[in-house]
Amino acid sequence: TVNTLDFGVDFRMFRNRLSTSFDWYESYTSNLVGPGIALPAVLGTAVPRENAGEVRTRGFELEIKWKEQIGEVYFEIGGNLSNNKSVVTKYNNPNKLLSTYYVGQVLGELWGYKTDGLFQTAAEVTGWANQNPIYSGRWEPGDLKYIDLNKDGKVDFGNNTRDNPGDKTIIGNELPQYRYGFTASAFWKGFDFTVFFQGVAKQDLYLLEIFNGNVYRGPANGPFHAMVYEGQLDYWRDASSALGPNPNAHFAKPYSVFAGNNDKNYGNPTDRFMPSGAYLRMKNLRFGYTIPASISKKWRMSNIKLYVSGENLLTFSSLKILFPEQVGGRNGDGRTYPLSKVFSFGLNVNF
């Protein structure tokens, strides 16, 4: 059940050259279908789903357009910006377990650990906080250094609740924030030009789940994960490596996929391996020319137009290897075919 309150304003100024539309809204979604009351893991089975909980969403949408004519040149410039945030206002989780929804949770928020680089020596491993609560195996140089936020001498997840999360904290939000776009078009003596950009200003990507086949951290392709991309070669190595030492690497020391030791570095969300999903993409660029009517009429045609168009021509993003529009959230593992550049040439004829 959804109840929405919306306030909007639309106005035009400067002889209709400037037009603006702004909306602010708040909606409450109740009786949501989701997991039932949170129960201890020793139950041994999944909690039945039920209609429970309420989410409040607040957001805004803004559109602005300017139209102008200077001599024989007519042009339009427009842009849009929108954003919203959803907060859980009711849910049957009195202990605020982090394994499911809890009152006060911002949808998309990601709990994880903060890190302080990679271990470089065995002595550094010994002198660091005890990390065995989150991984009981052996810690070695090249592994992640998790920060002991609560200063109790160990790195753990406490009771995995909002009030006692151990050393876990909110390190980001997986949902895209501040979606925007802008267009520009111009017309002059039969020539026309249009360009459209679209993007996301902020998004934190969690791309490192061990079992979802993600290709970000590598090696993660080919038989037995034997293929890597060039960007995945920036992993920790000591002086004994045939590729040479790389102490200041981005990725941690890799282990055999059969040993299971990669869990300690990639089994938990961390601020180190959370790239930005912000991007700006030129979605479309189009040039056209309409043959003058005096010529087309001689050929018994009312309109003849030639055009060339391009799709997905440019992308501005700091994300390595993957495309920002194809990742994000727990299911965005990047195992999809990249968006292709498409060029089109055409002729429109009206009789």
Side-chain angles (χ1 to χ4, degrees):
T1 302
V2 181
N3 294 287
T4 301
L5 176 67
D6 184 289
F7 294 97
V9 58
D10 299 89
F11 63 88
R12 297 175 183 271
M13 299 177 63
F14 309 113
R15 297 181 180 179
N16 291 331
R17 287 183 294 177
L18 174 65
S19 59
T20 301
S21 174
F22 177 80
D23 282 85
W24 178 92
Y25 59 89
E26 178 180 82
S27 67
Y28 283 87
T29 305
S30 56
N31 295 323
L32 284 166
V33 178
I37 184 172
L39 297 174
V42 295
L43 176 65
T45 186
V47 178
R49 297 172 68 83
E50 62 183 40
N51 289 87
E54 181 181 80
V55 172
R56 183 198 67 209
T57 300
R58 289 175 179 168
F60 70 88
E61 296 178 354
L62 172 67
E63 292 187 20
I64 300 177
K65 179 181 288 187
W66 178 272
K67 300 184 292 184
E68 184 66 84
Q69 183 165 354
I70 302 176
E72 296 185 65
V73 178
Y74 173 82
F75 63 89
E76 294 182 1
I77 300 174
N80 62 79
L81 175 67
S82 64
N83 192 49
N84 63 67
K85 183 171 72 172
S86 298
V87 179
V88 178
T89 54
K90 292 181 182 179
Y91 199 75
N92 195 358
N93 181 8
N95 295 323
K96 293 188 177 182
L97 290 171
L98 300 181
S99 56
T100 186
Y101 303 110
Y102 63 87
V103 174
Q105 177 185 13
V106 178
L107 295 189
E109 70 181 20
L110 186 63
W111 286 78
Y113 297 95
K114 290 190 174 183
T115 60
D116 187 26
L118 304 173
F119 290 119
Q120 300 298 328
T121 64
E124 195 174 7
V125 175
T126 303
W128 196 254
N130 179 19
Q131 300 187 161
N132 287 119
I134 62 173
Y135 180 79
S136 59
R138 180 180 177 183
W139 292 87
E140 303 176 1
D143 291 335
L144 279 180
K145 297 165 61 178
Y146 295 88
I147 297 178
D148 177 17
L149 293 179
N150 58 11
K151 307 299 182 181
D152 62 355
K154 63 180 185 296
V155 178
D156 66 359
F157 50 82
N159 293 332
N160 200 39
T161 63
R162 180 66 179 85
D163 298 327
N164 182 16
D167 298 294
K168 295 174 69 174
T169 186
I170 298 174
I171 57 175
N173 193 292
E174 297 179 279
L175 298 181
Q177 301 290 306
Y178 301 102
R179 297 179 182 271
Y180 64 93
F182 55 92
T183 60
S185 58
F187 306 87
W188 176 73
K189 292 186 177 181
F191 291 94
D192 63 89
F193 160 81
T194 303
V195 63
F196 169 50
F197 287 88
Q198 178 263 331
V200 170
K202 186 179 187 305
Q203 185 179 16
D204 302 305
L205 300 178
Y206 173 48
L207 304 175
L208 296 173
E209 285 190 284
I210 294 296
F211 301 109
N212 72 351
N214 189 274
V215 300
Y216 173 71
R217 65 178 179 88
N221 280 328
F224 301 106
H225 296 234
M227 293 175 57
V228 297
Y229 297 111
E230 183 177 356
Q232 295 167 337
L233 294 177
D234 187 17
Y235 61 86
W236 186 91
R237 300 185 294 271
D238 58 18
S240 64
S241 172
L243 296 178
N246 189 19
N248 300 316
H250 175 66
F251 293 109
K253 176 182 179 180
Y255 294 90
S256 167
V257 295
F258 302 106
N261 294 335
N262 286 304
D263 289 6
K264 57 184 172 181
N265 294 317
Y266 301 113
N268 297 289
T270 64
D271 59 347
R272 183 180 182 88
F273 300 130
M274 186 170 293
S276 170
Y279 70 91
L280 171 64
R281 181 186 288 276
M282 180 189 286
K283 298 291 291 185
N284 178 265
L285 178 66
R286 179 186 175 104
F287 292 95
Y289 176 68
T290 302
I291 295 176
S294 58
I295 298 177
S296 59
K297 287 182 179 179
K298 291 181 180 180
W299 298 338
R300 297 183 179 181
M301 300 177 185
S302 62
N303 181 274
I304 304 175
K305 183 174 182 177
L306 303 166
Y307 71 88
V308 57
S309 177
E311 310 283 340
N312 303 317
L313 299 182
L314 293 173
T315 299
F316 303 93
S317 170
S318 62
L319 183 63
K320 298 179 180 180
I321 303 171
L322 304 174
F323 287 84
E325 285 186 276
Q326 297 174 298
V327 295
R330 299 303 176 91
N331 297 319
D333 60 9
R335 289 166 103 50
T336 55
Y337 196 80
L339 295 175
S340 301
K341 293 182 180 179
V342 179
F343 295 92
S344 303
F345 303 87
L347 171 66
N348 292 335
V349 179
N350 296 320
F351 293 91

